[in-house]
Amino acid sequence: MFSHLIRPSDASPVGVAFTDREGGFSVGSLASLNLGRTDVDDPALLERNGRAVSDELGLDTLVALHQVHGTEVLTVDRAFLAGWGPTHWLGETAGLPPLPVADAAVTALPGVALMIRVADCVPVLLADPDAGVVGGAHAGRVGFDQGVLAATVEAMRGLGATAITAWIGPHVCGDCYEVPSAMADDVESRNPGTAATTRWGSPSLDLGIGCERQLLRLGVRVERRDPCTLTTSSLHSHRRDGAGAGRQAGIIWRVS
């Protein structure tokens, strides 16, 4: 169920989890632990998947976003939670209110789990355990290039974070993320070191390195827990499975 998991402890009252595709209830190409694709998956199965993750992690509240490859950061405060229920992360297709449109979220509230859903994009989870501030960002190529990580760090610092650690989760790696040469050069011009070469010799982008370098420049400590989604069969991958791909998630929370 988890490709990487740090359970909260007295030393670190923050939990960090990156899910995989195992241990859920979805079927077909979405099997089995799909936490996205609410437009095509059965809402009842999605709800069971979310409940399985919440039960395993001891969570009550999962907050999800309508991710659009932008830089908007949602601050989850008590006013936001007043209109949020335990299944609201399922969104409109389950007959619930629309999800907030954003590609990152931050909170200083205990007991709130922020969920970033991906197939090949980079999920980045961040925390300052001493300040009690956590965040999560969806760093696809466009959002990464436009500054979603800087926006997330700024929002966390606005809530009092100072010493931030980031965990970079599973995503398509530089050996596999083939892009047109002009695109690689364009991204490289703003993010030196991000351009790479696939294992078959064509231009690519290494967003893991790109995210790491951006975060280090922002004064953030970085840990990488990032197997390649395309070559790891236990992870969902849009590049491998196309329109049939499910979604895994990065989840971060502060203990209540």
Side-chain angles (χ1 to χ4, degrees):
M1 183 176 286
F2 301 107
S3 63
H4 174 69
L5 173 63
I6 299 175
R7 290 190 180 276
S9 66
D10 291 340
S12 180
V14 170
V16 177
F18 294 105
T19 68
D20 55 30
R21 66 184 301 170
E22 308 295 337
F25 301 93
S26 297
V27 298
S29 65
L30 301 172
S32 63
L33 187 63
N34 169 46
L35 294 171
R37 302 306 306 280
T38 57
D39 56 333
V40 296
D41 205 353
D42 182 338
L45 299 181
L46 278 164
E47 184 176 353
R48 292 179 71 187
N49 291 343
R51 190 183 313 121
V53 171
S54 294
D55 288 349
E56 178 67 24
L57 299 178
L59 304 174
D60 295 321
T61 304
L62 278 175
V63 174
L65 309 170
H66 178 193
Q67 299 166 188
V68 294
H69 296 275
T71 61
E72 188 70 25
V73 182
L74 171 72
T75 297
V76 178
D77 54 18
R78 296 196 184 281
F80 174 87
L81 289 181
W84 191 267
T87 60
H88 275 55
W89 68 272
L90 293 168
E92 287 182 278
T93 54
L96 295 160
L99 296 176
V101 177
D103 281 86
V106 299
T107 190
L109 297 178
V112 178
L114 307 177
M115 181 164 67
I116 301 298
R117 297 180 286 185
V118 295
D120 290 316
C121 295
V122 188
V124 181
L125 305 178
L126 310 96
D128 180 340
D130 291 337
V133 179
V134 299
H138 164 233
R141 174 183 58 84
V142 176
F144 155 77
D145 196 26
Q146 293 182 352
V148 68
L149 295 179
T152 307
V153 170
E154 180 181 7
M156 290 179 67
R157 287 176 173 154
L159 293 177
T162 55
I164 301 174
T165 295
W167 293 265
I168 295 174
H171 60 276
V172 63
C173 74
D175 285 347
C176 299
Y177 184 22
E178 183 178 43
V179 299
S181 178
M183 180 183 290
D185 292 343
D186 182 54
V187 175
E188 174 73 11
S189 69
R190 289 178 295 278
N191 303 277
T194 307
T197 304
T198 65
R199 62 181 183 273
W200 53 92
S202 59
S204 71
L205 291 172
D206 191 327
L207 293 184
I209 287 178
C211 288
E212 181 176 14
R213 291 187 176 193
Q214 277 194 8
L215 290 163
L216 291 173
R217 287 196 299 270
L218 291 164
V220 175
R221 178 176 172 268
V222 178
E223 293 189 24
R224 294 185 60 172
R225 311 285 180 165
D226 55 344
C228 178
T229 47
L230 190 147
T231 58
T232 305
S233 60
S234 60
L235 296 168
H236 295 289
S237 170
H238 178 77
R239 286 225 156 196
R240 184 186 62 233
D241 301 328
R247 299 292 185 268
Q248 56 252 344
I251 303 171
I252 189 162
W253 69 102
R254 178 185 159 199
V255 178
S256 58

